[in-house]
Amino acid sequence: MSVRTITDLNDLDNDAFVDELSDVYEHSPWVAERAVSARPFETVSDLHAEMARIVREAAEAKQLELLRAHPDLGEQTEMTDASEAEQSSAGLDELSPEQYETFQRLNEQYQSRFEFPFIMAVKGASPDEIQAAMEARVDNDETTEFRTALEQVNEIARLRLDDRFREAGDS
């Protein structure tokens, strides 16, 4: 069965549902596992709202694990297909050597300060916009940045769900 709509997703058994959504939150299938019981979803937005609620209400240790599952932006190492596509769409796979060095320095500074990678929904952003966000956010206090990173993770998930599913009746 080709899962193309929220109706198709609702029709899956629990294991197939989790398998279909296991990569929406980077290396964190537990979010999909916890969303199973909230079916059926009327819309993709409803599914996203439930998944975002699960993340917001998770224990802080689980949230930190989720944040740490994300790759560094601009990193030239192996990452999930979704992360690779998102970073490529923002031009992060074509950084100049100087930009790459700047991203590496900012990633290290951020990681050292917060103990998780800088996370931003980069789809549609330019490298300069991402760099400016990194420079601004590295000065946030820990509570603000933890909350901001989780919001960005939920935005990434929303974009991934929107890319994956179309509403019934869409062509």
Side-chain angles (χ1 to χ4, degrees):
M1 170 183 207
S2 175
V3 178
R4 298 180 45 122
T5 68
I6 197 69
T7 302
D8 295 337
L9 184 69
N10 285 326
D11 289 342
L12 296 175
D13 67 34
N14 289 354
D15 289 341
F17 176 92
V18 170
D19 187 55
E20 182 65 33
L21 298 178
S22 65
D23 62 344
V24 171
Y25 283 85
E26 198 85 7
H27 300 292
S28 301
W30 61 268
V31 181
E33 290 166 0
R34 293 180 186 181
V36 166
S37 63
R39 287 189 293 174
F41 296 101
E42 293 291 322
T43 65
V44 175
S45 294
D46 292 341
L47 170 61
H48 175 258
E50 177 62 15
M51 294 179 93
R53 182 197 64 75
I54 289 165
V55 168
R56 278 192 309 277
E57 293 179 2
E60 187 174 323
K62 201 70 170 167
Q63 292 172 334
L64 183 58
E65 179 183 302
L66 172 62
L67 296 179
R68 288 178 174 164
H70 282 261
D72 285 338
L73 291 180
E75 187 64 37
Q76 297 175 348
T77 60
E78 189 172 326
M79 60 185 89
T80 65
D81 290 345
S83 286
E84 191 172 316
E86 290 155 2
Q87 290 199 31
S88 177
S89 77
L92 296 180
D93 60 339
E94 299 176 359
L95 296 174
S96 70
E98 296 80 18
Q99 287 174 310
Y100 180 76
E101 289 300 319
T102 299
F103 270 72
Q104 292 307 303
R105 179 182 49 76
L106 288 167
N107 279 326
E108 288 171 16
Q109 184 180 3
Y110 185 95
Q111 179 76 257
S112 175
R113 178 164 166 83
F114 299 110
E115 299 183 356
F116 56 85
F118 176 81
I119 301 169
M120 179 178 168
V122 298
K123 188 174 184 179
S126 71
D128 289 340
E129 291 168 321
I130 297 164
Q131 180 179 330
M134 291 174 85
E135 290 169 344
R137 285 176 47 195
V138 76
D139 291 328
N140 281 345
D141 64 82
E142 290 179 20
T143 301
T144 299
E145 192 53 31
F146 192 85
R147 186 175 55 250
T148 300
L150 286 174
E151 289 169 0
Q152 289 297 302
V153 165
N154 283 325
E155 178 62 11
I156 292 165
R158 184 190 66 76
L159 292 167
R160 288 178 180 179
L161 288 168
D162 287 348
D163 283 347
R164 186 169 302 175
F165 300 105
R166 60 180 173 78
E167 299 293 345
D170 287 353
S171 54

